[in-house]
Amino acid sequence: MTSTTKHSTRRQLQTANATVEQARARNNVLRERFPPRSAEAWWPATEQSADEVLRRLTAPPFLAAANASRAGRRRGVAKLLRWLSSIPGDTWQQRWKASRAEEIPGADWTDLPLRFLHESGLSPSYERGDLTSGLLMLACGDVIRPDLAWMLTRTHKHLAPVMAEVRDPEGFAQLAQLAESGPASARGEATIAATRIAMILACKGGSISSITVGDCVELVDTLRQVHVRGGQRKVDFYLRLRALGVFPEDAPATIRAFGLAAGRLSIEELVDRYPIRCRPVRDLIVDYLRERQPSLDYTSLDAVSRTLAGLFWTRIEALSPGIDSLRLPPALARAWKADIATKKRTTIGPDGTAIEVASPRLNAKDELIRVRALYLDIAHWAAEEPARWAPWVVPCPISDDEISKAKDRKHRKARMDQRTRDRLPVLPVLTDTVDRRRRAAAELLAAAEHTRPGDLIPDTAGALRRAVAPKAAGHMTWAEETSTGRRRNLTYEETEAFWAFAAIEVLRLTGIRNEELLELTHHSVTEYRLPSTGEVVPLPQVAPSKTDSERLLLVSPELADVLSTIVRRLRGGSRAIPLVTSYDVHERVWNPPMPLLFPRDIGTEHRAFTPTALRKLLINALAATGLTDAGGELLVFSPHDFRRIFVTDAIMNGLPPHIAQVLCGHRSLDTTMGYKAIYPAETIEAHRAFIARRRASRPSEEYRTPTEEEWDAFLAHFEKRKVSIGTCGRAFSSPCVHEHACVRCSLLRPDPAQRGRLEEIRDNLVARIAEAEREGWLGEVEGLRVSLAGAEDKLAQMGRRASGGTAIDLGMPRIAAAQPTQAEGTASLTQSLDDQQ
C-alpha cells in the first residue's frame, strides 16, 4: 500500500442559500432517522359540520377578551365557512385545498372569499380583517391545516398568543418560562421562536410535545426556500424545543446538523460528484477507494477522490471522449499534465464582465503522486488478486522524475523562512496593537451602555452618539457617527477585538495548530503538582489532531493570564461555561457538546469559531496595525505563521530542538527544524561559537602570545619566498619538498619578467641532456628531463598570464534557406572566423 499524501486544500462548505432540494441531499442518514410527520388526510375536527365548527370556535377557550375581537372572529369564521361550503369536498381541509387560496401568497388570498361574498350580496365592510381573523381561528382550532410554505408568506402577529390560549396552554407556558430565565436581550428571539412553533402546530396539528425533529427540519428547509435571509432566528426555535425535552436524547444538538453543514459522503457519492461517462472506470475508482479506505482518514479519502475522479479521469474524458482504458497515449498524457499544471477561476472585471484567470497549481505534483499511486497500487494488487485487478494493469504515464519534490521543498523552505523573518520582528507591534484595540473597544462599549439613546457618548469628542435602534437585537449596542451618520455595532466590535486578541496570544504563546486552538476546552487545562515543592503548574492538554497524539504544554504566566481572562468572560455571571456543539470541517462529523474556550454567540446559540471566522479575526486585527510587507501590501498572518514563529523564537532562545519537537507534536525532528527560520547573523554566531569550542578542546600553548624570535621567523618566511624566477607559495614553517629545485615545484609562481632567465635555464638543460647522452651519463639524463619538463611548464604558465586569454563570439545559430554543400560550409565558416578576427 502506498503512503498517504495529505491534501492541503479544503473545499468550502455550502451556505444557507442552498435550495430545499440541495439541503435534502445532505445528511440523508440523519433525515431518515428523524422524518417529519406526514400530512394527515382526515382528523375529527375537519369533518365537523358548519354549525359544530361555529359553535366550538365561539365558545371558551376561543373567546377573546375584547368584545370587538370576539365579534370579528365570529364574523370571520362564519364567512369563511360559508365560502368553503360552496367548494366541493368531504372535509374542510379538502375544500380549503380545492379553493386554491394557497397559490396566492401573502394577504391577497382574501380576494377569493371576498369575491364570493360580494356576489352573494353581503356587506363588504370590515370583511378583509374579518377573514384574516376567521382563518386564524380555523387554523388554531385545527379545522384546516394550511401549507407550511404558504404560511411563511404571511405575518402572524396573533398566531402564537391564540395558539397558547386554545391549543396547548401548558406547553406555551413552559416556553414562556424558558424565555424568562434567559437574558432580557433575547426576548425578541423568544417571540419569533414561539411563532415558529405555533406555525408547526397550525400546519401539522397536535401540541408542542408532539412536535418531532423532522417537523423542525421541514420548517427550516422551507424557510430557506421562502426566506433567503433570517440568520439565527431561523433555527432558534429548535434550541428552545430541545431545552424543553421535547426531542429524544439522540437528537442532534443543533438543527444545523441537517443541512447547514454537509456530512460525510459515501465513496459512491464522493466519486459521483463528477460526470464520469465510462462506467467501468468509475467502478474501478470506487473499488480502489474502498480498498484504501481503512488506511485513510475522511479528509484524505475526499482528497484522493477529488484527484482521481475530478482532476484525472473527468479531464481525460474531456480531452479524449470515449476512452475506456487507463492506458494513455503519450500525447494524451502530456496534454493532461499540461492541463492540470494550471488552475482557472472566473472573476468579475471592472466593467462587470466575467474574466477567466489562470494561475499555476502549487500542488500539481501532489496530484500526480496520487494518480501514480493508483497505477502502482493496481499493479501491486494484481499479483494477489489477478482476476480483480490484472485487467487494469498498464504502464504508469507518470515517471519518478516528474514527482520529484526535492527542489520544491528547498524553495518552500526558503519562502517560509523569509515569511517568518518578515513577521517575527513585527510580532510585538501586532500584540501591542490588538491589546490596545481590545481595551479601547471595551471602554467604548461600556460608555455607550451607560448613555441614553440619542445622547453623545462620553470621551468620544462628540464623534459618536448612542443610536436609537428599536428593531435591533436587545443584546446589541449601536452607535452613530455624528459626521457621516454611519452606524456601528459596538457590541460586535468589542467581541471581535477580544477574540482576535485571545486567538493571537494563545497561538503565539503555544505554537498550536489552527484546529487545535478551536478544539481547546476548559477541561484541557490540567494541573501538575511538583513533587519537590508542591507547586501547582497548569498544563494545557492539546487534543489529537494531525498526528493523532495528545501532548501537554507548560503554561507561561502570560498564557495563564490570557486563559483566565477567557474563562472569566465565558462564565459571565454564572459559574459554568456553556457547552458548545462544534462541527469538524475536516472529518465532517459533529462533536459532542464541550466547554470550548473559543465559542461565539449568535443569537441565543453558542457556536464554535470556524477556521474562516478565525482568519477574518486576524485580517481585521492586522488591518488595524497598518503593517505592510516589502511590496507595500498589507501584511498577512495565517494561524500557521504563529506556529513557525514560536519554533524559531524558542530554538533561538536556547530551547533544545528535540524539546521543541515534543511541544509541537511533530513526529520527526526534521519537521521541527524545517519550521525554524535561519538568520545570517545566527549562522555567523554559530560559526564563532564553533571556533571557541574547538579552541577550548586544543592545547592552550597553541594560542599563546608568540615570542619576538617566533615573530621574526614568521616575517623572515615571507622574505625567503622570493626566488630568481618567481615566488614560492609554500606554507609557513614547512620545508621545501624539492630541496630548492624550484623549476620542478608546483608551488612556484613564475614571474613573467624573468622569462629570459627561465628560457636560459631551459636551453642550458637541453644542452646538458645532449652532453649527457653523448658522454653516456644515462643516470643523469632522467633527472635533467624532469627539470626540462618543469621549465617548459613554467614558460607555458608565463605565456597564459601574459596573454590573458581572448574571448571569441561564436554567434547565434540560424536556419539556412537551403542545405549548403561541404565546400560552401567550409568557406562560410572560414569567412565567419575571419570576420570575427
Side-chain angles (χ1 to χ4, degrees):
M1 190 70 70
T2 58
S3 60
T4 303
T5 304
K6 197 77 173 177
H7 204 283
S8 59
T9 57
R10 312 280 188 190
R11 182 185 181 186
Q12 295 182 351
L13 300 177
Q14 296 183 356
T15 60
N17 293 338
T19 62
V20 175
E21 291 74 13
Q22 291 172 328
R24 288 174 179 168
R26 305 170 182 153
N27 296 320
N28 294 327
V29 176
L30 272 180
R31 293 177 180 271
E32 291 174 0
R33 283 176 53 198
F34 301 100
R37 289 180 290 170
S38 58
E40 297 181 1
W42 179 91
W43 58 94
T46 193
E47 201 179 29
Q48 293 178 339
S49 64
D51 293 337
E52 291 175 332
V53 171
L54 184 61
R55 188 181 309 112
R56 182 169 67 90
L57 297 186
T58 54
F62 292 91
L63 293 179
N67 292 332
S69 298
R70 190 183 309 158
R73 291 176 180 179
R74 180 183 179 87
R75 292 193 302 267
V77 171
K79 292 174 182 179
L80 280 182
L81 292 177
R82 187 178 305 173
W83 169 58
L84 291 175
S85 297
S86 66
I87 300 174
D90 297 331
T91 63
W92 297 111
Q93 178 70 8
Q94 291 179 1
R95 298 185 184 103
W96 170 257
K97 292 294 184 182
S99 69
R100 307 183 70 176
E102 293 178 349
E103 297 179 3
I104 305 175
D108 294 338
W109 70 274
T110 55
D111 293 341
L112 296 178
L114 276 178
R115 188 181 304 114
F116 169 79
L117 295 173
H118 289 168
E119 292 174 356
S120 300
L122 297 177
S123 173
S125 60
Y126 305 106
E127 288 180 352
R128 192 177 293 273
D130 291 347
L131 294 175
T132 303
S133 298
L135 178 64
L136 176 65
M137 302 310 295
L138 291 179
C140 293
D142 206 19
V143 178
I144 63 173
R145 295 177 182 176
D147 181 69
L148 189 58
W150 181 77
M151 287 286 284
L152 289 172
T153 63
R154 307 173 60 248
T155 58
H156 303 281
K157 181 179 180 181
H158 304 289
L159 180 61
V162 174
M163 195 68 76
E165 295 175 1
V166 305
R167 180 73 67 88
D168 190 4
E170 182 179 355
F172 278 91
Q174 295 177 355
L175 198 63
Q177 185 178 2
L178 181 64
E180 290 291 336
S181 63
S185 59
R187 301 294 167 79
E189 285 81 358
T191 302
I192 296 176
T195 302
R196 298 279 190 253
I197 294 171
M199 192 177 300
I200 294 178
L201 300 185
C203 300
K204 291 286 186 177
S207 60
I208 290 181
S209 60
S210 60
I211 296 178
T212 66
V213 175
D215 294 340
C216 300
V217 176
E218 184 180 27
L219 174 59
V220 173
D221 288 343
T222 311
L223 275 168
R224 289 200 201 98
Q225 183 182 26
V226 178
H227 301 297
V228 175
R229 303 183 64 181
Q232 176 64 18
R233 295 182 176 183
K234 288 183 178 181
V235 299
D236 181 67
F237 72 96
Y238 179 89
L239 302 175
R240 298 178 183 273
L241 289 174
R242 196 176 189 279
L244 291 178
V246 174
F247 303 143
E249 294 183 358
D250 60 342
T254 172
I255 201 172
R256 293 183 293 115
F258 290 89
L260 296 184
R264 288 191 175 189
L265 301 178
S266 64
I267 291 180
E268 289 78 5
E269 291 173 330
L270 290 173
V271 175
D272 291 339
R273 292 178 297 180
Y274 305 96
I276 296 180
R277 291 186 290 269
C278 181
R279 190 71 183 184
V281 174
R282 178 263 181 196
D283 295 339
L284 171 68
I285 296 176
V286 169
D287 291 342
Y288 174 77
L289 293 175
R290 185 170 288 110
E291 193 74 16
R292 292 197 59 185
Q293 186 177 15
S295 63
L296 301 177
D297 56 17
Y298 182 79
T299 304
S300 300
L301 187 69
D302 180 32
V304 175
S305 68
R306 291 177 186 275
T307 300
L308 299 183
L311 288 178
F312 175 52
W313 195 252
T314 301
R315 299 199 178 191
I316 288 294
E317 288 186 335
L319 295 171
S320 178
I323 187 171
D324 59 357
S325 172
L326 294 182
R327 186 183 295 275
L328 305 183
L332 177 59
R334 288 192 298 269
W336 169 72
K337 293 172 189 176
D339 182 45
I340 69 166
T342 59
K343 58 181 181 181
K344 300 177 182 178
R345 57 186 179 91
T346 302
T347 60
I348 304 300
D351 56 351
T353 59
I355 303 174
E356 188 176 66
V357 179
S359 59
R361 187 183 300 276
L362 297 180
N363 65 330
K365 289 189 176 180
D366 293 332
E367 310 295 352
L368 294 178
I369 288 174
R370 295 191 186 104
V371 176
R372 179 174 170 82
L374 169 69
Y375 281 85
L376 299 185
D377 286 343
I378 291 176
H380 178 70
W381 297 341
E384 301 175 359
E385 297 181 76
R388 181 182 179 187
W389 302 106
W392 296 99
V393 176
V394 294
C396 179
I398 303 170
S399 64
D400 286 337
D401 294 338
E402 292 176 298
I403 60 174
S404 176
K405 301 181 68 175
K407 185 180 296 185
D408 296 338
R409 282 192 291 267
K410 293 179 181 178
H411 291 170
R412 182 178 182 274
K413 168 67 174 170
R415 290 197 310 270
M416 293 300 102
D417 284 357
Q418 185 59 42
R419 187 180 179 93
T420 302
R421 287 192 288 266
D422 290 342
R423 285 155 180 77
L424 182 57
V426 301
L427 184 59
V429 178
L430 175 61
T431 56
D432 181 65
T433 303
V434 296
D435 187 33
R436 287 189 285 103
R437 178 170 172 253
R438 168 186 66 107
R439 297 179 185 275
E443 293 173 359
L444 180 60
L445 177 61
E449 289 175 344
H450 292 85
T451 304
R452 291 184 303 176
D455 293 347
L456 294 176
I457 300 176
D459 300 327
T460 61
L464 289 177
R465 65 162 47 92
R466 176 79 180 269
V468 180
K471 294 185 179 181
H475 63 284
M476 296 291 184
T477 301
W478 289 79
E480 184 178 280
E481 296 180 354
T482 56
S483 58
T484 62
R486 185 176 68 92
R487 286 192 173 186
R488 292 169 51 182
N489 189 341
L490 300 184
T491 304
Y492 174 79
E493 290 180 5
E494 189 277 335
T495 302
E496 183 191 47
F498 174 83
W499 289 115
F501 159 78
I504 290 174
E505 288 296 311
V506 174
L507 286 172
R508 79 175 184 91
L509 294 174
T510 60
I512 59 178
R513 300 181 179 92
N514 183 14
E515 58 268 28
E516 293 170 347
L517 171 77
L518 301 181
E519 293 175 1
L520 280 179
T521 69
H522 190 218
H523 298 159
S524 300
V525 183
T526 60
E527 295 180 352
Y528 173 72
R529 189 176 299 274
L530 296 177
S532 57
T533 62
E535 180 184 357
V536 176
V537 179
L539 295 174
Q541 183 178 11
V542 180
S545 59
K546 187 175 181 180
T547 57
D548 291 334
S549 60
E550 293 184 339
R551 65 186 190 277
L552 295 175
L553 302 176
L554 184 64
V555 176
S556 63
E558 295 174 287
L559 180 59
D561 182 59
V562 174
L563 293 178
S564 62
T565 304
I566 294 174
V567 171
R568 286 198 304 269
R569 182 184 181 93
L570 295 179
R571 282 178 173 171
S574 63
R575 296 293 300 171
I577 293 180
L579 300 180
V580 180
T581 302
S582 60
Y583 180 74
D584 192 330
V585 296
H586 303 321
E587 294 300 323
R588 307 290 176 86
V589 295
W590 286 90
N591 298 319
M594 296 180 294
L596 295 178
L597 293 183
F598 282 85
R600 53 178 177 163
D601 294 338
I602 299 181
T604 57
E605 184 182 9
H606 303 290
R607 294 189 188 178
F609 268 100
T610 62
T612 302
L614 182 60
R615 286 194 296 270
K616 183 179 178 182
L617 289 179
L618 296 180
I619 292 173
N620 293 338
L622 285 163
T625 64
L627 294 172
T628 57
D629 57 16
E633 299 292 334
L634 184 67
L635 192 65
V636 177
F637 272 77
S638 70
H640 216 71
D641 285 328
F642 295 98
R643 184 170 172 83
R644 297 181 181 275
I645 290 174
F646 173 82
V647 174
T648 301
D649 188 56
I651 296 180
M652 287 180 61
N653 285 278
L655 183 70
H658 65 282
I659 302 298
Q661 174 192 354
V662 176
L663 293 178
C664 293
H666 290 151
R667 292 178 179 175
S668 171
L669 183 61
D670 293 338
T671 304
T672 305
M673 297 308 296
Y675 275 43
K676 181 190 177 298
I678 300 176
Y679 290 80
E682 182 183 3
T683 304
I684 296 173
E685 293 298 328
H687 182 66
R688 293 178 63 182
F690 166 73
I691 293 176
R693 291 193 301 271
R694 186 181 64 179
R695 286 182 174 180
S697 62
R698 297 184 65 84
S700 59
E701 58 269 13
E702 293 186 6
Y703 300 101
R704 60 181 172 80
T705 303
T707 63
E708 292 186 4
E709 292 78 8
E710 291 172 336
W711 186 250
D712 291 340
F714 174 73
L715 297 178
H717 160 75
F718 295 96
E719 297 176 357
K720 296 177 181 179
R721 288 174 56 182
K722 186 67 175 177
V723 294
S724 62
I725 56 176
T727 305
C728 179
R730 72 179 186 273
F732 170 72
S733 190
S734 60
C736 180
V737 295
H738 293 294
E739 298 180 354
H740 303 285
C742 299
V743 75
R744 300 183 178 185
C745 185
S746 60
L747 296 178
L748 174 67
R749 182 178 179 84
D751 185 3
Q754 302 297 327
R755 184 181 183 86
R757 180 182 294 275
L758 190 57
E759 289 177 347
E760 182 180 350
I761 294 174
R762 180 198 58 186
D763 295 342
N764 186 23
L765 288 172
V766 172
R768 291 181 60 187
I769 291 173
E771 181 184 7
E773 289 177 346
R774 185 173 63 254
E775 298 295 335
W777 303 331
L778 299 182
E780 193 173 347
V781 171
E782 184 176 357
L784 292 173
R785 286 180 177 173
V786 172
S787 298
L788 178 62
E792 291 177 345
D793 180 64
K794 297 299 182 292
L795 286 172
Q797 292 181 26
M798 290 182 178
R800 288 193 297 267
R801 292 183 60 189
S803 62
T806 302
I808 299 176
D809 184 10
L810 298 180
M812 294 297 294
R814 59 179 181 270
I815 301 176
Q819 185 68 26
T821 63
Q822 182 176 1
E824 292 173 344
T826 303
S828 176
L829 179 60
T830 304
Q831 181 63 37
S832 177
L833 292 177
D834 293 340
D835 294 340
Q836 292 174 4
Q837 293 177 357

